[in-house]
Structure formats: C-alpha cells, structure tokens
C-alpha cells in the first residue's frame, strides 16, 4: 500500500503544486520521493512508500536499465509476479513485484499487461519513447486512483481525491475530479509540452470472466460441473488459494476479526496457512466493540478456536462520535452506511498502527456482495434478480465497502488484503447457477457456509451466525452504534435545516439528521464535490430508507451471549 501522485502538462509553480502530494502522506509513511521526468520538466511523479515486499529497491518511480524510457508508479501487490517472470523468461533487476509491469508492457502491450496481473493495483505508466501515458486500476478498485483533467490537456493523478482538490491550473472553468474506473485502463498521447490527450479507455477484465492470468496460476484445473459437492470443494480450494497467495510480505501479517462469518473464515484460513508456511510469528487478530457487543464476544470465541494472538479494542459511542470528522476526511464520502461502518474500522486500524507491529492486514470485504450476504437478499423476487443485484454490488464496491476498507487502513499506514475479492474466486462464484447462490432455509450465504461445514475450521456457532453489519454489531444489542449516532445528532441538526435539506443539498438530499450532519461535514472538507457519491447505499426490495440491517422489518435481534 502506497500513495501515488503525478502531474502532466503543469503550467503552475511545481514547488506549490507538490504540497498537494503531501495530503496523502499517510499512505506511505516509510519514505517520499518527488521526481521530474527528463525531457518533460512540466511532468512529475510523487510517491509515498510503505515498504512491504522489496524493502531495498522498492522505491518509485520505478525505472530499470533495460527500459530507460519507461517510468512507473503503482500502488498494489502483484501476487503472480514470480510466476509471470518464470513463464515468460523475464530477467528482473529488482525483487519488487511491480517490475513485472514493465516487462509485460514491453512484451505484450498495455491491455494484455493489465489482464495478466493477478493482484490489486493502480498504476501510472509513462513511455517517453512512444510518447504514451497509461493509467489503470484493478478489477474491483481495491486500490484507488483519481484523475483531474482540463480541456487544454493538463492531467493530475492521485491515490486519493484530496491530493487533487488544491491543484491549480490555467483554465478558467473548474476541473472535475473523477475516479479511474476499476477494471479499465486509459491511454493518452503525450505532447512535447507535457500535455496529454486521451486516446481510448478500455476494459481489460470483467468480474464475471475467468481472468487471463489463470493460465499462470499454480492451482491445478478445477473439476467441472455444478453438482453440489464439486462446487463446495472448488469454493474451498479457490478460497484457500486466495489467502495463500496473499501471504507475500516482508512485514508482519495480521487480520481484522469481527466474529462474523467472513472475517472468521479469513482469519482461520490465514492462521492455518501461516503455520504450514512456517511464518516466524503468530498471526495477530483484532476486534473492536463495547464489552458486551455481539462482535467482541463472537470474535473472542473464534480467536480461542484458531489460536491467534488476539487483541480487543474497546469502543465507546463518545469516541466514535469524536472520530466522525476525521473519518469523513479520509473517506471522501458522506454515504451513511460507509461512514457508520468506517468509524470502528478507522479506530481499530489506529490501534494496530500504535500498539502492534502488524502492517499487512487481512479482512473479509467483498464476501457479502459476492455471496449474497445482505439480509435484504431474503426478499429478492427471484434467483435471477439476486444474481443481478450481486453483480451490481460487485461493480460498485469501489464506491462503498472497498473504499471504506482502503481509506480506514491507509489512514494509519496499513496495507489491506481482501481474499474474497480474488479474481478466480469471484469469477467462479459468479458463474454458478442462480439458484445455488440464494439464501436457503432462512440463512443467507448458505452455499459459502455449507462449503465449510464439518471441517472445524471455525466454531459451528460462528459458521451459521446470522449476518450482522459491522457498524451494528460493535455495541450491545440493547443499544446499537446506529441508535447512539441518531441520539447524538438529534441536537446537532435542527428541524428547520431538515425541512430545507433538498434545497440546501439538491444532489443526494439527506433524509435524516444523521445524513444531514455527515453531508455538512463533507461539504466543509470538500466543498462542491458531492457528485463523488452518485447515490446512497440502500437495501433493495424493502421500504427501508436507512441502510442499517436493524431497520429492516424482518430483522430479529441476536441474543446476547454470556
């Protein structure tokens, strides 16, 4: 996990512009480099480094002797870089996983380069020999990248939008800041004055397709057919492989553990594989909540079962409320459920950075979208509707759950790893017949749960634990974080303000005092940028106007355990 920043065709004072790059310094606390491009003095790169894989030669922009005309800054991890080097007889000059992008680009061009990468990434690749610039982002947008462009060919790029909001340019009209689309690359022509012109934007991978890099995977060909036992075996195989390939690190690995199904499966598999790989330390797991919260109690049970070094972070509503403004600054969104769920993740990440030596953090993001885990899937009108909704959620992960997971960990210089968003695992699961993936016997994610039945990987009570949103499960069932927020913000926004909410905020008008407050904070930090959120995350097929699972008519509280 790093922070990348670049300018092309800059007409303003570089020493002033570069201060914007320091707004994402939290993403790479180990080192910073700012470098002009030879021959294009109005083009430059900025890089904040979190050293995880190659701690000696991993600094960027990356350039090697074989390709002196190529400049690369990228944020991410390429899990198959060694397999690619072996398959195509590349001769790497560093031990870093990013160098393989240069060799692939030189051999195959940009589209195949991107398609062969098994990992999470955002890249900016400059070819001064062909006067070309390329930017791209992984399939689900696990690693962020934003762009600011003007009509006269000025382009600025940054891992987070906040690194672009104070960029100055010569055009009289304001420049928009937009995310680079996940699963796409964009090609630009580079002019002699450093300005650029967009040539094409193309998708290199769709989440429903088997990824091209599967041909380089060490995993053997999976058995075909859709009989239940074959499918469950394939899910287990792909999931374990997804966790295993993500062990690539020279820094200590830890895992977030809420006590729900997804994080528990990740943590248990991680502990198992760490022992098999003989990692020289015990896996640390981290949970957050009040003393009697469902999440704390469940996570404690899982940690004892799998034998992790477990840490519990005490959470109070007061501490959470105090963190909201910082959380919105890092998130760059005012989406209600994203902000709510981010507070706990932000605070547990802060604890990890300050109180432990874990830097690479595994988490269970993506499982609910992939395996139809949200409670509202029980109300889907048909298996086809469920499958279509699941695919929509996967394509919007970069706006919601993946955004939350990246920003809250990156805020504290941690690197996130999300095995449920492995390309091969997701492509396989999404290819299954619609009726196999729907909730069964009143239980969501039934296929995933059933795939790990009778293995004793995690306690049965956890394997079949009902879905509980992270923001809901952090506190007692008697009074959730959701309720605490409503009560506190009741006095922060008056009724007159709510009556005029749609006039004050015509785009995505807030419908609750909580939403109004989040929007106010966002507008103070990022004025005029409300379009960054195209729409709120809300459940479908229900009348609920709030994203909390506890507001759904069919929600039943989980009994508190002793």
């Amino acid at each position: 996990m790093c922070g990348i920043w670049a300018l092309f065709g800059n007409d303003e004072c570089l020493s002033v512009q570069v201060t914007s790059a320091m707004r994402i310094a939290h993403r790479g606390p180990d080192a910073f480099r700012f470098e002009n491009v030879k021959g294009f003095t109005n083009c430059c790169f900025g890089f904040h480094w979190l050293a995880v894989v190659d701690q000696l030669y991993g600094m960027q922009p990356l350039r090697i002797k074989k390709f002196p005309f190529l400049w690369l800054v990228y944020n991410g991890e390429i899990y198959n870089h060694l397999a690619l080097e072996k398959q195509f007889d590349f001769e790497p000059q560093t031990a870093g996983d990013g160098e393989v992008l240069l060799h692939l680009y030189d051999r195959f061009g940009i589209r195949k380069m991107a398609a062969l990468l098994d990992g999470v990434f955002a890249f900016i690749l400059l070819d001064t020999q062909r006067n070309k610039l390329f930017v791209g982002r992984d399939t689900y947008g696990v690693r962020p990248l934003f762009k600011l462009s003007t009509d006269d060919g000025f382009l600025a790029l940054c891992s987070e939008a906040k690194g672009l909001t104070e960029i100055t340019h010569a055009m009289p009209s304001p420049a928009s800041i937009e995310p680079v689309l996940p699963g796409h690359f964009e090609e630009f022509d580079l002019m002699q004055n450093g300005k650029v012109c967009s040539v094409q934007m193309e998708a290199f991978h769709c989440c429903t397709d088997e990824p091209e890099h599967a041909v380089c995977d060490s995993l053997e060909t999976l058995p075909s057919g859709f009989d239940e036992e074959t499918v469950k075996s394939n899910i287990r195989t792909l999931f374990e492989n997804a966790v295993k390939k993500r062990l690539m690190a020279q820094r200590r690995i830890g895992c977030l553990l809420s006590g729900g199904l997804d994080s528990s499966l990740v943590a248990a598999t991680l502990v198992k594989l760490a022992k098999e790989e003989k990692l020289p330390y015990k896996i640390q797991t981290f949970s957050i909540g009040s003393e009697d919260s469902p999440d704390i109690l469940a996570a404690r049970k899982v940690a004892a079962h799998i034998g992790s070094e477990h840490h519990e972070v005490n959470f109070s509503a007061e501490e959470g409320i105090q963190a909201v403004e910082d959380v919105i600054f890092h998130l760059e969104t005012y989406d209600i459920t994203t902000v709510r769920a981010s507070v706990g993740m932000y605070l547990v990440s802060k604890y990890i950075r300050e109180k432990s030596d874990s830097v690479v953090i595994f988490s269970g993001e993506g499982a609910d979208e992939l395996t139809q885990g949200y409670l509202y899937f029980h109300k889907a009108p048909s298996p086809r509707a469920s499958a279509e909704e699941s695919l929509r959620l996967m394509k919007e992960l970069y706006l919601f759950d993946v955004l939350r997971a990246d920003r809250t960990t990156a805020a504290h210089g941690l690197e996130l790893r999300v095995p449920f968003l492995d390309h091969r695992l997701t492509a396989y699961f999404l290819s299954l017949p619609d009726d196999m993936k729907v909730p069964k016997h009143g239980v969501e994610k039934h296929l995933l749960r059933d795939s790990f039945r009778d293995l004793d990987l995690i306690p049965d009570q956890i394997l079949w634990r009902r879905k509980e949103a992270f923001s809901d499960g952090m506190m007692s069932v008697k009074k959730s974080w959701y309720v605490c927020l409503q009560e506190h913000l009741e006095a922060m926004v008056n009724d007159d303000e709510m009556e005029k909410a749609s006039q004050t905020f015509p785009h995505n008008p807030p419908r609750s005092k909580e939403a109004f407050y989040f929007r106010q904070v966002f507008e103070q930090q990022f004025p005029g940028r409300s379009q960054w959120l195209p729409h709120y995350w809300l459940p479908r097929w229900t009348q609920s106007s709030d994203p909390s699972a506890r507001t759904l008519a069919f929600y039943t509280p989980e009994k508190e355990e002793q």
Side-chain angles (χ1 to χ4, degrees):
M1 195 280 300
C2 303
I4 60 178
W5 183 88
L7 300 182
F8 299 92
N10 173 61
D11 293 322
E12 306 296 311
C13 176
L14 270 179
S15 61
V16 175
Q17 300 279 51
V18 75
T19 59
S20 290
M22 303 315 293
R23 301 192 80 196
I24 61 163
H26 50 271
R27 296 190 69 88
D30 293 333
F32 171 68
R33 177 184 286 175
F34 176 72
E35 189 169 343
N36 286 97
V37 179
K38 185 178 180 182
F40 297 89
T41 53
N42 54 355
C43 300
C44 59
F45 292 100
F47 180 68
H48 295 278
W49 189 25
L50 177 67
V52 172
V53 176
D54 184 352
Q55 297 188 51
L56 186 59
Y57 298 109
M59 196 59 182
Q60 298 178 35
L62 178 61
R63 302 178 69 205
I64 58 175
K65 290 181 180 178
K66 188 173 183 179
F67 310 118
F69 48 88
L70 297 182
W71 301 65
L72 173 70
V73 288
Y74 93 106
N75 168 29
E77 303 80 45
I78 310 303
Y79 305 121
N80 65 340
H81 72 106
L82 295 177
L84 290 168
E85 289 167 2
K86 182 178 180 181
Q87 174 143 347
F88 299 116
D89 296 318
F90 296 149
E91 296 180 0
Q93 296 178 23
T94 73
D97 53 309
E99 185 186 335
V100 76
L101 274 73
L102 302 179
H103 295 275
L104 288 170
Y105 168 73
D106 177 71
R107 180 82 59 90
F108 301 114
I110 191 67
R111 199 212 70 82
K112 190 166 183 178
M113 179 209 84
L116 285 173
L117 300 176
D118 182 6
V120 293
F121 53 85
F123 66 81
I124 305 169
L125 176 61
L126 177 65
D127 181 343
T128 57
Q129 181 173 278
R130 296 177 56 222
N131 289 336
K132 290 286 187 179
L133 172 69
F134 303 94
V135 300
R137 194 173 175 194
D138 67 77
T139 302
Y140 298 110
V142 175
R143 292 292 176 261
L145 187 61
F146 292 84
K147 63 179 180 179
L148 176 153
S149 57
T150 65
D151 294 339
D152 69 343
F154 171 60
L155 177 69
L157 298 151
C158 189
S159 292
E160 297 182 16
K162 63 177 64 68
L164 301 175
T165 54
E166 296 179 9
I167 292 288
T168 57
H169 55 87
M171 295 296 289
S173 57
S176 63
I177 297 173
E178 301 172 335
V180 172
L181 287 179
H184 288 70
F185 71 85
E186 187 168 4
E187 176 184 346
F188 299 85
D189 284 335
L190 179 69
M191 314 302 176
Q192 280 305 308
N193 62 359
K195 305 284 186 181
V196 299
C197 176
S198 180
V199 176
Q200 66 163 331
M201 180 184 290
E202 183 181 332
F204 61 83
H205 181 229
C206 175
C207 55
T208 54
D209 298 335
E210 175 83 335
E212 289 185 36
H213 59 68
V215 298
C216 309
D217 202 322
S218 59
L219 194 64
E220 296 179 4
T221 304
L222 296 172
S224 59
F226 294 130
D227 65 278
E228 197 167 292
E229 291 309 312
T230 297
V231 167
K232 290 191 292 187
S233 174
N234 288 345
I235 289 171
R236 289 193 298 271
T237 299
L238 287 167
F239 179 68
E240 183 166 312
N241 185 55
V243 176
K244 186 174 184 177
K245 71 178 68 168
R246 284 164 174 77
L247 293 176
M248 181 184 82
Q250 294 176 1
R251 305 287 287 271
R252 185 167 184 169
I253 295 171
C255 188
L256 300 181
L257 179 59
S258 70
L261 173 69
D262 312 329
S263 65
S264 298
L265 287 176
V266 172
T269 305
L270 177 58
V271 169
K272 171 179 173 285
L273 291 173
K275 291 175 182 175
E276 292 176 5
E277 297 293 316
K278 296 182 170 54
L279 292 189
Y281 52 80
K282 205 170 187 178
I283 295 296
Q284 295 177 324
T285 51
F286 305 89
S287 64
I288 184 167
S290 61
E291 289 184 7
D292 62 343
S293 71
D295 281 0
I296 281 285
L297 299 173
R300 193 179 295 164
K301 187 168 293 185
V302 174
H305 185 86
I306 66 177
S308 63
E309 179 190 309
H310 192 53
H311 297 245
E312 294 180 356
V313 182
N314 187 55
F315 175 83
S316 67
E318 293 75 18
E319 185 181 15
I321 288 164
Q322 289 174 4
V324 166
E325 291 191 18
D326 286 342
V327 166
I328 292 175
F329 172 75
H330 282 285
L331 291 177
E332 304 169 341
T333 188
Y334 51 92
D335 179 64
I336 304 163
T337 190
T338 303
V339 175
R340 278 184 202 157
S342 293
V343 170
M345 201 164 181
Y346 176 85
L347 292 173
V348 75
S349 296
K350 183 174 185 284
Y351 172 93
I352 294 170
R353 187 67 189 180
E354 294 176 352
K355 306 292 185 182
S356 82
D357 55 352
S358 287
V359 173
V360 176
I361 305 299
F362 280 62
S363 189
E365 268 67 37
D368 285 322
E369 291 78 4
L370 176 65
T371 66
Q372 303 182 18
Y374 293 113
L375 292 182
Y376 71 83
F377 275 97
H378 289 281
K379 295 296 183 181
S382 68
R384 178 85 295 249
S386 284
E388 290 172 352
E389 173 68 357
S390 175
L391 184 58
R392 182 188 72 83
L393 290 172
M394 295 294 286
K395 291 180 177 179
E396 291 192 344
L397 273 166
Y398 75 105
L399 295 169
F400 301 108
D401 275 28
V402 156
L403 180 150
R404 164 179 55 80
D406 173 83
R407 302 302 197 286
T408 54
T409 50
H412 302 290
L414 304 176
E415 178 175 291
L416 178 77
R417 297 200 176 171
V418 282
F420 273 111
L421 293 180
D422 181 79
H423 299 163
R424 290 199 67 188
L425 173 62
T426 55
Y428 178 76
F429 201 96
L430 292 170
S431 75
L432 296 174
D434 295 345
D435 58 356
M436 289 193 80
K437 298 177 286 189
V438 298
K440 288 187 173 68
H441 314 301
V443 179
E444 66 283 349
K445 291 190 280 199
H446 189 276
L447 178 59
L448 178 64
R449 299 175 195 272
D450 208 33
S451 298
F452 291 91
R453 183 199 292 266
D454 299 328
L455 298 181
D456 197 38
L457 186 65
I458 60 176
D460 271 359
Q461 187 177 2
I462 304 300
L463 184 63
W464 297 99
R465 184 187 176 202
R466 191 208 54 242
K467 165 69 181 170
E468 182 78 83
F470 183 43
S471 58
D472 292 330
M474 290 191 301
M475 297 189 69
S476 168
V477 294
K478 298 172 185 173
K479 191 173 184 180
S480 72
W481 167 230
Y482 157 71
V483 172
C484 290
L485 267 175
Q486 310 304 306
E487 291 181 354
H488 175 76
L489 297 176
E490 179 66 30
M492 301 286 287
V493 179
N494 63 51
D495 293 339
D496 289 340
E497 287 176 311
M498 282 305 301
E499 285 182 15
K500 299 174 183 175
S502 58
Q503 288 81 42
T504 308
F505 304 118
H507 177 70
N508 289 333
R511 303 189 185 281
S512 69
K513 290 187 175 182
E514 178 192 20
F516 191 101
Y517 175 72
F518 291 167
R519 183 63 170 273
Q520 273 187 323
V521 173
F522 176 86
E523 291 291 345
Q524 288 165 6
Q525 297 174 340
F526 306 106
R529 303 292 184 178
S530 64
Q531 299 288 337
W532 288 352
L533 178 66
H535 61 86
Y536 289 113
W537 192 102
L538 284 171
R540 297 193 65 191
W541 310 305
T542 76
Q543 298 302 310
S544 177
S545 61
D546 190 280
S548 172
R550 294 189 177 187
T551 66
L552 299 177
F554 48 90
Y555 173 85
T556 54
E558 184 176 23
K559 292 181 180 179
E560 291 189 273
E561 302 172 32
Q562 301 300 319

